[in-house]
Amino acid sequence: MISLDLNFNLFTSDLSLYLKNQVKVGLFGSGVGLSVVLGFSAAYACYYLISVAKKPILIAGGKKFHQFLQDNCPVVSETYYPTFWCWESRVQTLLRPFVTAKPWVNYRNELIRAADGGQISLDWFDNDGSSSHPDPSTRPTVLLLPGLTGTSHESYILHMVQQSRDLGFRCVVFNNRGVSGEKLLTPRTYCAANTEDLELVIEHVQRTIDKAPLMAAGVSMGGMMLANYLGRKGRKTRLKGVVVFSAGWDVFECSASLEKPLDRFLFNSYLTSCLQASVDRHRPVLEKKYDIDHVMKAKTIREFDERFTSIMFGYPSNEDYYRDASPIHKINSVQVPMLCLNAADDVFSPNHAFPVEAVKQNPNVALLITCHGGHIGFLEGMWPRQSTYMDRVFRQFTKAVFENSCSLSDLH
């Protein structure tokens, strides 16, 4: 309570000083108006400090991983203070792409071929100026997976690249087929359940830098894909660790949440149109196998998946696809240290579908839950242009994995 009282007193005293300097005599001449403003501000500050700013909940399946995170990632034990003027879930989600800065990153692009003749675009940030890891053959490398329609130029990816650069690490961004400007050579795109392209990318990166330690970070659908990959591969991967942000754990529950009227209006329709735009861009290739006109009439992500995604990947029904795409069913098979960050107010991934019980049964997995943060939001600070809470989790966990990997060799 000492910390809370101190924060509250500092807030109200600073606000009082500001108002005394800025508010002119007139309407507030009697002092009543000033008192109302001060009273409201004090009440808001009190509510914020008591109900909004909270420490995250850390759930881990084993004591060793829990202790590792507390020792090496202090952010998991610190109070998360969301930006006080936009802590609500939808506002955080909508504003992040606009208020956060986009650090400049000079990528090196590489196109690799898949077994079916398709091509995959990788964007490398080599970080050749790294002073802590000057030898490129052993420079720690982070594989980054963007969200549903994201690319290497999303602000959240650029910030993770910036954090990695500051730590001296290298990054490679896995862009899903057809989303980053490259030509679609075969009538196939991507989905959360199919991890064949991800396996190919990991194998390619390993061959390219076979002496460098490798870990991965996935955001939203990228995180789902990573979790599904780990669930299928078990220990048969060279990834040293994985961090997942704002993953949708149960696709049925995610879809139901996004189909509520307000969220359908704010998010679902927009994402559906983005998916359709990508399909339309590659219509000459895709229309050879799929009814693109029917796909373009979809109104929700579920309808899009029913008409396109589930058919493309050979599922008997969309329900079968959604079941296979839900990482919640594969948590128990993960054999690599995996930290997952979710906000309890994320409408894309409702908290009642978080894999809490599954995480408790697996010593290799930890789930970090903040009260607020929205979907890939986690804004903090007065004007959140730079790093977010999510960026700090990424930085600390990535550094801990590469510098203390021996502590993670056996979490049982």
Side-chain angles (χ1 to χ4, degrees):
M1 289 302 295
I2 294 176
S3 174
L4 188 147
D5 290 340
L6 180 60
N7 287 330
F8 176 76
N9 290 335
L10 286 172
F11 182 92
T12 52
S13 62
D14 289 347
L15 181 63
S16 178
L17 180 61
Y18 173 83
L19 288 171
K20 285 179 181 178
N21 290 332
Q22 299 295 327
V23 178
K24 297 180 180 180
V25 177
L27 178 62
F28 296 113
S30 63
V32 175
L34 181 59
S35 298
V36 170
V37 172
L38 281 173
F40 174 80
S41 300
Y44 183 84
C46 188
Y47 174 79
Y48 174 87
L49 293 170
I50 293 174
S51 301
V52 177
K54 292 182 178 292
K55 288 186 177 182
I57 298 171
L58 178 62
I59 302 166
K63 292 182 179 179
K64 288 185 179 180
F65 198 15
H66 192 280
Q67 192 62 50
F68 175 87
L69 292 170
Q70 288 190 319
D71 292 343
N72 296 281
C73 306
V75 68
V76 305
S77 303
E78 297 170 357
T79 299
Y80 167 47
Y81 293 93
T83 299
F84 81 95
W85 51 269
C86 67
W87 50 264
E88 196 275 333
S89 166
R90 297 170 184 84
V91 178
Q92 284 240 346
T93 303
L94 291 168
L95 284 185
R96 169 160 182 157
F98 301 102
V99 301
T100 54
K102 282 194 171 186
W104 183 83
V105 174
N106 184 24
Y107 288 119
R108 172 176 61 86
N109 184 256
E110 179 185 19
L111 295 175
I112 62 174
R113 284 298 181 96
D116 70 330
Q119 63 180 356
I120 302 168
S121 175
L122 302 180
D123 282 322
W124 292 80
F125 174 71
D126 296 304
N127 203 7
D128 289 330
S130 172
S131 57
S132 55
H133 300 280
D135 184 355
S137 67
T138 59
R139 185 175 300 141
T141 302
V142 188
L143 174 64
L144 302 176
L145 281 71
L148 182 62
T149 59
T151 70
S152 59
H153 296 284
E154 303 300 325
S155 63
Y156 56 82
I157 293 292
L158 294 172
H159 277 275
M160 285 194 281
V161 173
Q162 183 183 54
Q163 297 288 341
S164 301
R165 180 191 63 198
D166 294 344
L167 292 169
F169 304 152
R170 169 173 43 213
C171 288
V172 53
V173 185
F174 165 34
N175 298 292
N176 286 302
R177 295 194 196 194
V179 301
S180 63
E182 81 283 5
K183 187 177 180 181
L184 200 64
L185 300 181
T186 58
R188 170 173 164 165
T189 56
Y190 59 92
C191 74
N194 188 284
T195 59
E196 291 175 359
D197 283 358
L198 175 58
E199 291 181 38
L200 174 64
V201 167
I202 291 176
E203 290 171 3
H204 173 76
V205 172
Q206 289 172 346
R207 286 196 305 270
T208 304
I209 48 170
D210 62 328
K211 294 180 181 179
L214 177 66
M215 68 169 291
V219 181
S220 192
M221 194 206 73
M224 296 166 66
M225 191 183 294
L226 260 180
N228 285 327
Y229 163 80
L230 290 181
R232 293 191 176 109
K233 298 294 285 187
R235 290 191 179 276
K236 296 179 180 179
T237 177
R238 278 181 54 189
L239 293 178
K240 299 293 184 183
V242 166
V243 58
V244 168
F245 301 107
S246 297
W249 295 104
D250 186 322
V251 182
F252 293 100
E253 296 298 331
C254 296
S255 295
S257 179
L258 285 172
E259 286 169 1
K260 294 177 181 177
L262 180 58
D263 299 318
R264 176 171 174 164
F265 171 75
L266 290 175
F267 307 112
N268 203 326
S269 298
Y270 172 73
L271 285 173
T272 303
S273 66
C274 289
L275 290 167
Q276 290 170 324
S278 181
V279 168
D280 196 46
R281 225 170 20 246
H282 303 289
R283 180 184 282 262
V285 175
L286 295 172
E287 65 183 359
K288 297 174 183 178
K289 290 190 66 174
Y290 310 105
D291 185 350
I292 302 303
D293 289 335
H294 186 53
V295 173
M296 297 301 290
K297 294 177 182 177
K299 300 299 182 184
T300 64
I301 296 174
R302 188 195 298 267
E303 290 182 1
F304 177 89
D305 289 333
E306 288 172 347
R307 302 176 185 196
F308 185 72
T309 314
S310 60
I311 297 173
M312 173 177 287
F313 288 94
Y315 288 96
S317 69
N318 198 57
E319 287 71 26
D320 291 294
Y321 163 52
Y322 276 10
R323 192 174 297 108
D324 195 29
S326 300
I328 193 170
H329 303 304
K330 303 178 185 71
I331 290 291
N332 61 338
S333 300
V334 173
Q335 298 295 314
V336 173
M338 180 170 74
L339 173 62
C340 313
L341 173 65
N342 281 91
D345 62 354
D346 185 350
V347 297
F348 284 66
S349 183
N351 60 56
H352 63 265
F354 289 173
V356 173
E357 293 306 315
V359 168
K360 288 180 179 179
Q361 302 302 315
N362 189 335
N364 299 292
V365 183
L367 177 62
L368 187 65
I369 305 173
T370 58
C371 282
H372 300 279
H375 188 71
I376 327 175
F378 302 103
L379 301 176
E380 60 184 358
M382 182 70 74
W383 183 243
R385 289 283 293 165
Q386 303 306 318
S387 67
T388 65
Y389 181 84
M390 171 178 144
D391 298 323
R392 291 198 290 130
V393 171
F394 169 82
R395 181 188 182 98
Q396 292 182 17
F397 184 68
T398 302
K399 185 174 185 289
V401 168
F402 284 136
E403 294 183 357
N404 302 280
S405 59
C406 58
S407 301
L408 296 172
S409 58
D410 184 12
L411 293 174
H412 290 272

